[in-house]
Amino acid sequence: MSDPNIEDCPMVGCSTGFMEMTGYTLNEIVGRNCRFLVDPVPKEYVDQTVRLIARDYCMAVCQGQHFQVPDSHRQPWMPLTHSDDGIFCVQTNSRKSGELFKNLFHLKRIELDDRPYIIGLQSELQSELWDEGREEEAEKFCAAACQTLYANMVAAEKIMAKMFWLSSPMRRQDFATVEEGFTPLAAN
């Protein structure tokens, strides 16, 4: 969870799963921008377009504006989400140990007690998917991972809504279709 109203949009909390995936402790994470996972990565492995998308998204949240990934930056596996439903990206990250890994992440704006935050959920991807000739397999895997992250975000929002005054853009059933990467969620 990051706070876009604080300079540099630092993380203000994280899950134990995030700590396990990255190798960093809570004290090493809180107060830092997520760039600390990208900065140690050799330049040739960093997707600069993803950095731009993530930065522009955080700025839009801070300014109370909607954000949509520009068509020129969209990847075939990215779901066609409504502009209020966040972004999905893949970036090479570095663990504390220096080991590189592919991170598919979903960022979404929420409000807790009338204050905007950005929630991020991640999924580590198999690095072999980026081997030559596996593009179609990588696209299918990323699309499936997006569905999982989306479902997990729904679950996280339900939990937070029980604990805080939570507001979040309403999920639109008109875009949650199989063709766009999602199946409609069953009502609970």
Side-chain angles (χ1 to χ4, degrees), residues 104-120:
L104 188 149
F105 58 93
H106 176 29
L107 300 180
K108 184 167 190 238
R109 177 189 199 271
I110 63 162
E111 286 189 14
L112 298 176
D113 298 329
D114 294 324
R115 183 179 174 91
Y117 292 92
I118 298 171
I119 297 293

Side-chain angles (χ1 to χ4, degrees), residues 32-104:
R32 298 173 77 180
N33 182 286
C34 294
R35 279 190 312 273
F36 77 93
L37 297 173
V38 179
D39 288 343
V41 175
K43 300 267 186 262
E44 63 269 19
Y45 296 114
V46 176
D47 187 329
Q48 295 300 330
T49 300
V50 169
R51 289 190 97 164
L52 177 69
I53 291 169
R55 185 191 72 218
D56 289 351
Y57 178 75
C58 293
M59 288 175 57
V61 169
C62 181
Q63 296 167 0
Q65 300 174 345
H66 295 291
F67 179 84
Q68 184 97 23
V69 174
D71 289 340
S72 61
H73 297 333
R74 289 189 53 72
Q75 297 295 315
W77 54 264
M78 288 179 173
L80 300 172
T81 59
H82 184 267
S83 64
D84 289 346
D85 216 31
I87 60 172
F88 292 86
C89 297
V90 173
Q91 182 64 274
T92 301
N93 286 173
S94 178
R95 300 185 210 285
K96 184 177 179 180
S97 67
E99 177 189 3
L100 302 182
F101 67 101
K102 288 284 189 182
N103 183 11
L104 188 149

Side-chain angles (χ1 to χ4, degrees), residues 131-147:
D131 291 348
E132 188 76 28
R134 295 187 71 182
E135 293 82 7
E136 187 174 322
E137 183 181 359
E139 282 182 26
K140 288 179 183 176
F141 193 88
C142 287
C146 287
Q147 288 179 329

Side-chain angles (χ1 to χ4, degrees), residues 15-24 95:
S15 68
T16 54
F18 183 81
M19 290 186 288
E20 290 169 7
M21 183 171 69
T22 64
Y24 288 93
R95 300 185 210 285

